[in-house]
Amino acid sequence: MDRNIKYFHSVRLREDDCKGCTHCMRRCPTEAIRIRNGKASIIEERCIDCGECIRTCPNHAKYAVSDTLKVLENFKYKIAIPAPSITGQFPERLEIAGILGGLIECGFDEVLEVAYGAEIVSDYIAKYIEEHKKIRPFISSACPSVVRLIQVKFPSLIENIIPLVTPMDVTAIMAKRDAAKRLNMSEKEVGVFFITPCPAKVTSVKDPEGDEVSPVDGTISMSEIYEHLINHIDKIKKRPDLVKAGSRGILWGKEGGENSSIRGKIRKLSVDGIHNVIKVLEKVEDDDVTQFDYIEAQACPGGCVGGIFNVENSFVAKERIENIAQTIKREKDAESKIADLKENEFLLKEKLLPRPIILDPDINAALDKMEKIKEIEQKLPGLDCGACGCPTCMSFAEDIVQGKAKLEECIVIMKEELKKLEKGDK
Amino acid sequence: MTTIELDFEIKHNDFDRAGSASSGLKNTLKQIGYPPDIIKRIVVSSYEAEMNVVVHASDGHLRAVITPDEVHVTVKDNGPGIENVEMAMKEGYSTAPERIRELGFGAGMGLPNIKKNTDELKVESFVPTGTTVDFIVRRSNG
């Protein structure tokens, strides 16, 4: 990525469409949005690309970027690796074989389901949990927004994140290695593209945590694939030969699926929706849920089916995945792997680092600032009305101390000042 | 040297609000930039102390004094006091009623857990006037 910017973000603002209302600012789980000069602005250090603001914006001013099918041109051999949630996006009659056939029609040479990699990863998660008893609970590393949420807001829980690569990464490594070998090509000529349900995955490919470079070469949004296929789904050539995943992997596309795919005597908790995830992480911080071995935590309501690039209603998509999973009799075993990964390839290459939001790097200065914040807070009405452009009175006080806002921007205080003036006139 | 003082109310038997005092302390420490592992020790301790008041005692307060070097937490309630502080410091000793245990509290790990996580701990209790749990966690693990 371009090292001039500190963090890549998929979530963006279309300024012309922004009316400066406070919906996104109030909904943001990391207080990453301010309204300045009548427009929303995103604080890049705080943003975790969860997409809550896109979901809540009434004016569709927030959006997310991904690559487009054009990037396929840069590679000799193109492989699509669709997220498990793709299973819920199309009418049942298309079947998984039809979805994968449709991807071939979009211009890919080959398809490997991430659901397939998910089954292999599930077994490694179980193994890792069994072999590492000191940390409880482990938290899934699969949702990039949750990983970033922990880095920003829960730095003490970094070591609870299970240090394993995600199903997307494993699938990409396997697909690329296998194709390069089979076709006698260099791995550089093989492009692997993730069909993504969410902007956070776009970010995790462009600017990965836990590895210098992502094994994925690009991301295509689920909605772009949907647009390409939906109008002619009855003409799509079904490709049952491409279907490799069993029901375990497919269920990863919805909340609870990851947990149900992890076998063995492991006590698991599942939480979805970023604000719910925050509540559970608070409990982990308090050492209050050590009875659990593993937490599947997903930023989107309903799990990946709730990702904002998905088109189908998340409840419908969830039921559809469950329904389709039931019809799959055959269970794939990790033994039928198409390419062998060494055990250490499942581990994150780089340690995850905290990136907490602090008042000042110098603790004395930070304490001084905190004291000032507390003083200013006393003066504020505590309504959290958002009219100043900050999500809460507390964050407004913080912005004043950091020199980013002025006390006069509080309309409640200004109204009182005005009253005083009027009284003085009489 | 700047010090920050925080004061949170604790309501007996109010399980909706339970944990809000230690959560408030935690968020302040995060903003100040206390190291995550130190925050963890402070939070686990203050959460335990707060829950003790919610479950066993009466209304009370959690007060914290934050300096660059240490956090000093005092959790004080208005009774009924602990009959035998020495016993209460032992792991697994609990007087929590069944109703409370069903909620997942009262396993008898409260005070021992605080002891494990703090650099200094003082528990003073008088029947029936109340208990004061006083502890310090240092930033440079002294």
Side-chain angles (χ1 to χ4, degrees):
Chain A
M1 69 174 279
D2 180 358
R3 283 290 157 195
N4 291 321
I5 44 168
K6 208 167 171 196
Y7 303 110
F8 173 88
H9 286 297
S10 163
V11 174
R12 310 275 171 91
L13 176 80
R14 213 178 278 120
E15 268 214 356
D16 289 345
D17 291 337
C18 177
K19 290 188 175 162
C21 73
T22 57
H23 286 84
C24 60
M25 181 182 81
R26 290 158 170 279
R27 187 73 194 160
C28 176
T30 55
E31 298 188 331
I33 301 173
R34 299 290 185 273
I35 314 292
R36 298 270 182 257
N37 305 316
K39 302 283 176 193
S41 68
I42 305 172
I43 304 166
E44 65 161 317
E45 291 84 1
R46 288 176 181 254
C47 177
I48 57 170
D49 288 291
C50 65
E52 279 298 307
C53 53
I54 300 176
R55 224 174 249 129
T56 194
C57 177
N59 305 308
H60 306 285
K62 287 277 169 58
Y63 68 105
V65 293
S66 65
D67 299 314
T68 62
L69 286 167
K70 274 211 159 129
V71 286
L72 268 61
E73 292 163 12
N74 303 337
F75 292 87
K76 206 166 163 187
Y77 193 78
K78 291 88 76 174
I79 307 174
I81 55 166
S85 59
I86 201 169
T87 318
Q89 295 304 303
F90 298 92
E92 280 88 336
R93 67 177 190 279
L94 184 58
E95 299 176 10
I96 295 173
I99 296 174
L100 305 187
L103 285 168
I104 297 292
E105 287 177 18
C106 285
F108 293 100
D109 299 301
E110 194 177 312
V111 177
L112 185 63
E113 302 154 271
V114 170
Y116 175 75
E119 291 171 17
I120 296 162
V121 170
S122 301
D123 293 338
Y124 269 91
I125 292 173
K127 190 167 181 273
Y128 194 90
I129 295 171
E130 296 283 358
E131 286 171 1
H132 297 80
K133 300 220 183 272
K134 272 193 183 157
I135 294 170
R136 286 297 181 268
F138 276 112
I139 301 164
S140 170
S141 62
C143 175
S145 276
V146 170
V147 170
R148 282 159 180 77
L149 174 73
I150 291 172
Q151 289 177 298
V152 170
K153 267 190 94 155
F154 298 92
S156 74
L157 301 183
I158 292 262
E159 61 172 30
N160 292 74
I161 301 173
I162 197 158
L164 299 178
V165 295
T166 66
M168 174 186 77
D169 295 322
V170 167
T171 309
I173 296 167
M174 285 193 304
K176 188 174 271 199
R177 195 170 294 171
D178 177 67
K181 201 174 153 194
R182 183 164 24 90
L183 304 164
N184 206 11
M185 281 183 186
S186 109
E187 288 198 9
K188 278 188 181 143
E189 292 171 297
V190 181
V192 176
F193 301 91
F194 181 58
I195 313 302
T196 179
C198 75
K201 280 286 184 190
V202 178
T203 301
S204 78
V205 166
K206 298 264 188 228
D207 189 10
E209 294 288 344
D211 200 347
E212 189 58 38
V213 199
S214 170
V216 178
D217 298 294
T219 47
I220 313 291
S221 72
M222 199 69 85
S223 51
E224 186 173 355
I225 299 298
Y226 185 88
E227 279 167 32
H228 264 81
L229 301 184
I230 196 64
N231 289 328
H232 65 285
I233 60 164
D234 291 314
K235 291 190 188 119
I236 292 170
K237 190 172 174 256
K238 289 181 183 168
R239 293 286 304 270
D241 58 309
L242 298 176
V243 182
K244 289 204 170 58
S247 59
R248 275 171 83 198
I250 284 162
L251 286 166
W252 268 68
K254 62 163 209 83
E255 160 279 317
E258 176 181 348
N259 274 355
S260 66
S261 178
I262 299 167
R263 293 164 171 159
K265 264 189 92 178
I266 293 165
R267 208 168 156 193
K268 295 158 286 192
L269 182 77
S270 164
V271 53
D272 59 309
I274 194 82
H275 293 278
N276 295 330
V277 171
I278 289 173
K279 281 184 196 153
V280 169
L281 294 180
E282 295 264 1
K283 284 177 95 64
V284 180
E285 263 188 337
D286 294 343
D287 253 356
D288 201 21
V289 283
T290 47
Q291 71 270 39
F292 296 110
D293 299 304
Y294 192 68
I295 299 179
E296 172 201 314
Q298 290 173 98
C300 292
C304 295
V305 286
I308 57 134
F309 281 141
N310 280 332
V311 178
E312 182 60 274
N313 173 282
S314 65
F315 295 92
V316 174
K318 192 174 154 185
E319 193 280 340
R320 197 177 272 153
I321 290 177
E322 285 162 1
N323 192 32
I324 291 172
Q326 267 181 6
T327 64
I328 301 175
K329 297 272 184 316
R330 155 191 50 90
E331 270 295 346
K332 291 281 173 186
D333 284 319
E335 278 146 37
S336 61
K337 268 181 271 184
I338 65 151
D340 269 319
L341 262 71
K342 289 188 202 86
E343 199 145 315
N344 63 12
E345 286 182 285
F346 285 91
L347 296 170
L348 292 181
K349 286 194 185 68
E350 289 178 3
K351 224 172 134 101
L352 292 169
L353 296 172
R355 32 190 253 206
I357 308 295
I358 53 174
L359 292 170
D360 201 288
D362 173 53
I363 193 152
N364 286 295
L367 275 163
D368 281 340
K369 284 179 179 174
M370 182 53 81
E371 195 179 32
K372 285 187 192 122
I373 289 171
K374 297 273 171 211
E375 271 168 32
I376 294 168
E377 239 194 326
Q378 296 292 319
K379 295 182 200 160
L380 299 176
L383 298 173
D384 296 344
C385 70
C388 60
C390 299
T392 59
C393 290
M394 173 78 182
S395 57
F396 179 51
E398 196 184 321
D399 281 8
I400 293 173
V401 169
Q402 299 287 29
K404 290 173 191 156
K406 290 196 182 91
L407 191 62
E408 303 86 79
E409 283 163 300
C410 173
I411 58 161
V412 179
I413 289 181
M414 282 315 281
K415 201 177 153 194
E416 270 159 24
E417 292 292 321
L418 208 65
K419 269 187 200 162
K420 275 186 213 160
L421 280 173
E422 279 173 356
K423 269 185 191 164
D425 282 347
K426 277 172 196 169
Chain B
M1 189 177 71
T2 313
T3 61
I4 301 282
E5 284 184 47
L6 303 173
D7 189 335
F8 302 93
E9 239 182 292
I10 305 172
K11 287 277 181 199
H12 178 47
N13 268 337
D14 184 346
F15 286 91
D16 289 337
R17 267 174 55 171
S20 60
S22 45
S23 178
L25 170 60
K26 173 168 71 183
N27 289 332
T28 304
L29 290 171
K30 280 187 197 175
Q31 278 186 299
I32 292 169
Y34 251 70
D37 53 322
I38 305 292
I39 294 183
K40 176 108 198 165
R41 289 169 55 212
I42 297 163
V43 165
V44 168
S45 306
S46 48
Y47 180 73
E48 288 284 6
E50 180 182 1
M51 289 315 295
N52 279 343
V53 176
V54 175
V55 173
H56 297 286
S58 48
D59 291 353
H61 275 268
L62 183 151
R63 292 193 179 86
V65 180
I66 307 165
T67 73
D69 308 314
E70 63 179 40
V71 177
H72 186 163
V73 178
T74 310
V75 179
K76 199 171 184 291
D77 63 58
N78 300 314
I82 305 168
E83 293 269 1
N84 191 335
V85 174
E86 223 169 283
M87 283 297 278
M89 295 294 289
K90 284 189 183 143
E91 277 187 23
Y93 177 81
S94 175
T95 58
E98 196 52 41
R99 157 179 82 81
I100 299 288
R101 288 180 198 232
E102 275 168 10
L103 290 170
F105 302 109
M109 299 301 285
L111 289 177
N113 208 10
I114 299 176
K115 197 172 170 60
K116 233 183 339 198
N117 280 292
T118 54
D119 294 308
E120 266 179 50
L121 170 66
K122 206 165 66 193
V123 183
E124 260 184 3
S125 194
F126 301 99
V127 180
T129 45
T131 307
T132 306
V133 175
D134 197 282
F135 60 81
I136 293 173
V137 177
R138 295 199 179 88
R139 196 160 72 99
S140 54
N141 216 347

